[in-house]
Amino acid sequence: MPQPTTAWTVTPEPVDSPVATALWRAYYTEVSDRWYLLHEDRRTDPDELEREIAAGASGGLTPPDGRLLVARYGGTPAGTAGVRRTAEASVAELTRVFVLPELRGKGGAALLVAAAEDAARALGARRLILDTRGDLVEARALYARLGYAETAPHNAEPYAEHWFAKALS
């Protein structure tokens, strides 16, 4: 008998919802811990984690200038992607692409990025940009696989080490 398949869904989510908050915490904890373990041989200080989570909660991802998308796997919240307008009307930024570690490798990240591209188009963008860190090799591989090209820096964010862009048709 065939095994049932679990479907991914992606829908907009308010940035202050409990689902968005829990996924933002998981995302920030992972990327922060990875950076500190690589550079300082320690995990993120819990007080710093709480301050940064509170400070970056909305991240410009609220309508009308941004969108937060949440992927669910079999109905369970599993990942996020966000888009926000930039100062240039035809350009949007992709941010917070994240899938829970236990659900990686099941196609959720590519689905989230595709949904984010659609959301960027709905915001009027013809080009999507993003930045990422060198140690996030999985992210860099994902973006390259999805047609993003590495570009010159478009910002001076302190943790940005690689910049990508993609024309949206």
Side-chain angles (χ1 to χ4, degrees):
M1 179 186 302
Q3 295 293 320
T5 58
T6 302
W8 284 98
T9 59
V10 178
T11 56
E13 183 81 22
V15 294
D16 58 353
S17 76
V19 165
T21 301
L23 288 167
W24 171 232
R25 178 177 299 281
Y27 167 86
Y28 191 83
T29 299
E30 180 176 342
V31 297
S32 181
D33 278 354
R34 282 177 72 162
W35 192 89
Y36 279 121
L37 287 168
L38 180 65
H39 295 282
E40 298 183 13
D41 197 32
R42 68 174 179 91
R43 293 197 178 279
T44 308
D45 173 84
D47 291 335
E48 176 192 2
L49 182 67
E50 292 308 314
R51 282 191 310 274
E52 291 301 318
I53 288 171
S58 72
L61 303 178
T62 56
D65 295 321
R67 300 286 183 278
L68 177 67
L69 304 169
V70 168
R72 288 174 171 78
Y73 186 72
T76 301
T80 63
V83 292
R84 56 186 169 216
R85 289 182 203 202
T86 66
E88 189 177 337
S90 64
V91 179
E93 181 180 17
L94 176 63
T95 186
R96 290 197 199 166
V97 177
F98 173 74
V99 174
L100 292 169
E102 62 271 21
L103 293 172
R104 291 178 186 158
K106 298 180 181 293
L111 187 66
L112 273 163
V113 172
E117 290 171 357
D118 288 343
R121 284 184 198 93
L123 292 171
R126 294 189 311 269
R127 185 169 175 251
L128 199 52
I129 61 173
L130 65 96
D131 64 68
T132 191
R133 296 192 328 229
D135 63 308
L136 300 177
V137 294
E138 308 93 338
R140 291 180 15 235
L142 171 72
Y143 301 133
R145 188 173 75 248
L146 296 178
Y148 287 78
E150 196 152 356
T151 66
H154 59 259
N155 64 26
E157 292 294 321
Y159 299 107
E161 298 171 320
H162 296 270
W163 296 263
F164 290 83
K166 182 178 180 179
L168 301 175
S169 53

